[in-house]
């Protein structure tokens, strides 16, 4: 495997005394972060050291830095199927799936061919194109709550737009979210968020004005009474409620059926908009997302990841009367230069077409079931407290007796130090997992029985070594 040189990745730097000194400090910092490893990671270490001088923390998204599991990240060079390959020639069975989008497997040939054809026609139009209609129609046909949809460029953009829609439609300002649920990095949502915020130990983010979060109310996941109390204390003031219908940003946490049904009734009774953040669960836990799986239909849905087939994309949609609030149909402004760009639409359409074929979701469920049950069995055989679960192509487990029903329980009960050792041990054996206890894992159509058998065999060895 041909590796990328520093100059190929970063270009030729302008070297001066201050830059040299800065780079030396970066290298020293990276070396200090390193842990004993049997992997050959020389090139990864070199590139990550250079990145420390160019990118905040050496990465473009915080969780990638491996801060919560120790050591330094491996630097990837290529991906294919169920595998990722680093610059040092190491190959790993991948359960991150570029954080969810790679549901059909990495570098799928059908998607690649469709993209190559579209590239010749143009990569961005900044004008209406038929591909937008085609993907929108697929989404409307597949997702129970969606009658109209607006394409955007990320899950964060989808969620911040949905928040604005909820407020514009109801004429109210307050919104309820749940502790540990992550809806992107918009100011209003960085209150008791999970995912990267929890991984880094930051309860909130500096730089967020108090006024931006004044209307954000936080409840406890799977606890209807905490939601009821907020509605009662803020009668007629709550625009809507947003949640991950299956949590993936506090680790994998399932809702109870009663919880989702209770939220639906409460929002209807209070005249508030119910929004499911299905950026992670959409088209993954079931064809029509968590709302199809649980049979509970929200008013709005945010989407991302799978819907773009590996390209940057997001979307929000829902009831027609609510979506007609959005400009230019209505007064609520939201726009985007690259929204609905033909490459993302092409990749999304081909991905949803592949996922619509017979046996697709059965395969995802079988792989997730096997890997979770194998990991839990390995942990218990080695004497560890472990619990976990799965739905469709999404899974997770905790080093805790469990069950874990909310972020507060995860933060209180989970052995994150043990998880860090587990993560490094699995990486050493060629298994690439999310570098945080507070992230879900993902299977794809490219994962095979052999891949999962390899994962379980590695898990047994690592669990015994902890």
């Amino acid at each position: 495997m041909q590796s990328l040189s520093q100059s190929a990745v970063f270009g030729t730097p302008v070297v001066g005394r201050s830059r040299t000194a800065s780079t030396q400090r970066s290298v020293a910092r990276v070396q200090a972060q390193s842990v004993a490893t049997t992997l050959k990671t020389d090139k990864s270490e070199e590139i990550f050291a250079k990145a420390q001088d160019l990118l905040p923390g050496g990465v473009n998204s915080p969780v990638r830095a491996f801060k919560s599991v120790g050591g330094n990240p491996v630097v990837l060079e290529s991906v294919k199927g169920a595998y990722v390959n680093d610059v040092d020639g190491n190959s790993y069975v991948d359960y991150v799936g570029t954080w969810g989008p790679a549901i059909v497997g990495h570098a799928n040939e059908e998607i690649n061919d469709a993209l190559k054809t579209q590239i010749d026609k143009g990569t961005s139009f900044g004008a209406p194109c038929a591909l937008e209609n085609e993907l929108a129609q697929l989404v409307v046909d597949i997702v129970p709550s969606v009658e109209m949809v607006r394409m955007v460029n990320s899950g964060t953009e989808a969620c911040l737009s949905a928040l604005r829609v909820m407020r514009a439609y109801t004429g109210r300002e307050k919104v309820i979210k749940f502790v540990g649920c992550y809806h992107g990095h918009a100011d209003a949502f960085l209150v008791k968020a999970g995912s990267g915020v929890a991984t880094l130990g930051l309860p909130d983010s500096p730089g967020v004005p108090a006024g931006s979060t004044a209307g954000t109310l936080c409840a406890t996941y799977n606890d209807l009474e905490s939601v009821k109390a907020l509605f009662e204390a803020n009668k007629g003031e709550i625009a809507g409620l947003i949640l991950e219908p299956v949590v993936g940003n506090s680790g994998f946490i399932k809702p109870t059926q009663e919880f989702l049904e209770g939220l639906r009734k409460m929002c209807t009774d209070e005249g508030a908009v119910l929004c499911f953040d299905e950026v992670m669960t959409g088209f993954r836990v079931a064809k029509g997302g968590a709302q199809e799986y649980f049979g509970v239909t929200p008013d709005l849905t945010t989407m991302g990841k799978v819907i773009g087939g590996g390209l940057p994309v997001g979307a929000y949609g829902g009831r027609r009367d609510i979506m007609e609030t959005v400009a230019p149909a209505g007064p609520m402004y939201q726009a985007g230069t690259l929204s609905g760009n033909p490459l993302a639409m092409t990749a999304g359409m081909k991905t949803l077409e592949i996922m619509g074929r017979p046996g697709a979701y059965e395969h995802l469920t079988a792989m997730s079931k096997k890997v979770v049950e194998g990991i839990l069995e390995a942990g218990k055989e080695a004497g560890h407290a472990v619990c976990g679960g799965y739905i469709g192509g999404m899974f997770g487990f905790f080093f805790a007796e469990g069950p874990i029903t909310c972020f507060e329980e995860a933060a209180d009960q989970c052995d994150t130090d043990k998880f860090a050792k587990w993560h490094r041990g699995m990486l050493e054996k060629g298994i690439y997992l999310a570098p945080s206890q507070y992230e879900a894992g993902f299977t794809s159509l490219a994962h095979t029985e052999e891949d999962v058998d390899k994962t379980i065999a590695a898990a047994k060895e690592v669990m015994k070594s902890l």
Side-chain angles (χ1 to χ4, degrees):
M1 184 183 304
Q2 185 177 359
S3 64
L4 296 176
S5 67
Q6 256 189 312
S7 59
V9 177
F10 299 107
T12 303
V14 178
V15 179
R17 182 173 298 175
S18 61
R19 172 57 64 90
T20 301
S22 177
T23 300
Q24 289 173 343
R25 290 194 296 272
S26 297
V27 170
R29 189 161 59 244
V30 169
Q31 290 174 340
Q33 294 168 350
S34 298
V35 297
T37 176
T38 59
L39 286 174
K40 182 181 183 303
T41 58
D42 295 346
K43 291 180 181 178
S44 282
E45 297 288 337
E46 180 184 2
I47 292 171
F48 188 61
K50 180 65 174 178
Q52 298 277 324
D53 194 37
L54 298 168
L55 311 171
V59 294
N60 281 309
S61 191
V63 74
R64 300 177 192 174
F66 279 37
K67 289 289 188 181
S68 71
V69 293
N72 294 318
V74 292
V75 176
L76 299 187
E77 181 179 57
S78 65
V79 293
K80 187 65 179 177
Y83 286 77
V84 297
N85 311 296
D86 69 22
V87 293
D88 290 283
N90 303 305
S91 185
Y92 311 84
V93 181
D94 176 34
Y95 293 99
V96 178
T98 186
W99 302 95
I103 195 168
V104 301
H106 293 293
N108 176 272
E109 294 296 336
E110 292 185 67
I111 295 175
N112 286 353
D113 288 344
L115 287 172
K116 290 171 187 175
T117 298
Q118 180 55 48
I119 284 173
D120 289 337
K121 299 177 181 180
T123 60
S124 179
F125 298 157
C129 69
L131 295 173
E132 295 173 293
N133 289 9
E134 294 175 41
L135 182 55
Q137 188 64 62
L138 280 173
V139 173
V140 169
D141 291 343
I142 293 171
V143 183
S145 66
V146 177
E147 295 175 346
M148 296 185 82
V149 62
R150 167 62 61 87
M151 300 296 174
V152 292
N153 294 290
S154 69
T156 288
E157 191 179 351
C159 289
L160 69 87
S161 300
L163 173 61
R164 190 177 299 161
V165 172
M166 288 192 284
R167 288 171 166 166
Y169 179 76
T170 62
R172 303 170 181 177
E173 292 191 5
K174 294 182 180 179
V175 63
I176 296 174
K177 71 176 290 289
F178 292 87
V179 177
C181 281
Y182 178 73
H183 307 293
H185 58 82
D187 285 359
F189 291 131
L190 287 181
V191 180
K192 298 184 179 179
S195 193
V197 178
T199 295
L200 295 175
L202 302 174
D204 299 292
S205 176
V208 177
S212 295
T213 58
T216 305
L217 310 174
C218 293
T220 299
Y221 200 81
N222 273 322
D223 182 353
L224 283 175
E225 289 301 313
S226 69
V227 181
K228 182 179 179 181
L230 290 176
F231 271 116
E232 289 180 347
N234 300 272
K235 205 69 175 174
E237 298 181 79
I238 295 175
L241 180 153
I242 186 170
L243 78 156
E244 295 179 75
V246 178
V247 181
N249 287 292
S250 298
F252 178 84
I253 301 175
K254 288 183 181 180
T256 64
Q257 185 71 34
E258 295 75 19
F259 177 63
L260 294 184
E261 290 177 355
L263 294 179
R264 174 66 281 175
K265 184 178 186 306
M266 214 175 296
C267 285
T268 299
D269 292 346
E270 297 290 339
V273 176
L274 176 62
C275 180
F276 279 8
D277 178 352
E278 297 232 39
V279 169
M280 191 175 288
T281 56
F283 315 102
R284 177 168 282 283
V285 300
K287 185 177 180 180
Q291 58 196 267
E292 177 188 285
Y293 183 88
F294 290 101
V296 177
T297 304
D299 303 305
L300 282 179
T301 299
T302 58
M303 295 159 278
K305 300 187 185 291
V306 170
I307 197 178
L311 274 69
V313 77
Y316 62 101
R319 281 175 19 207
R320 182 175 299 274
D321 61 320
I322 297 175
M323 290 303 295
E324 286 181 339
T325 305
V326 180
M332 192 224 83
Y333 192 74
Q334 179 270 314
T337 299
L338 295 173
S339 296
N341 77 83
L343 288 185
M345 300 301 97
T346 296
M349 286 163 53
K350 181 56 69 172
T351 297
L352 295 187
E353 177 196 324
I354 295 170
M355 292 309 301
R357 295 171 188 170
Y361 287 94
E362 289 81 359
H363 179 81
L364 289 182
T365 299
M367 294 300 98
S368 297
K369 179 177 187 291
K370 183 172 183 176
V371 73
V372 168
E373 291 181 349
I375 289 172
L376 294 181
E377 181 180 352
K380 290 173 182 176
E381 285 180 355
H384 301 294
V386 289
C387 64
Y390 66 91
I391 301 176
M394 184 175 172
F395 70 90
F397 87 100
F398 297 99
F399 278 105
E401 287 289 350
I404 300 296
T405 65
C406 62
F407 175 72
E408 294 92 331
E409 292 176 355
D412 181 59
Q413 298 179 30
C414 294
D415 190 334
T416 53
D417 290 337
K418 186 175 287 186
F419 177 85
K421 294 174 184 176
W422 146 268
H423 181 272
R424 174 54 60 172
M426 293 296 281
L427 192 69
E428 298 275 349
K429 295 189 177 299
I431 310 299
Y432 192 76
L433 299 161
S436 171
Q437 176 76 98
Y438 302 117
E439 295 285 355
F442 305 107
T443 53
S444 75
L445 297 186
H447 284 89
T448 65
E449 294 279 351
E450 291 74 20
D451 296 329
V452 177
D453 286 340
K454 177 181 178 180
T455 303
I456 294 171
K460 290 182 178 179
E461 290 187 44
V462 176
M463 287 292 189
K464 290 176 183 177
S465 72
L466 297 179

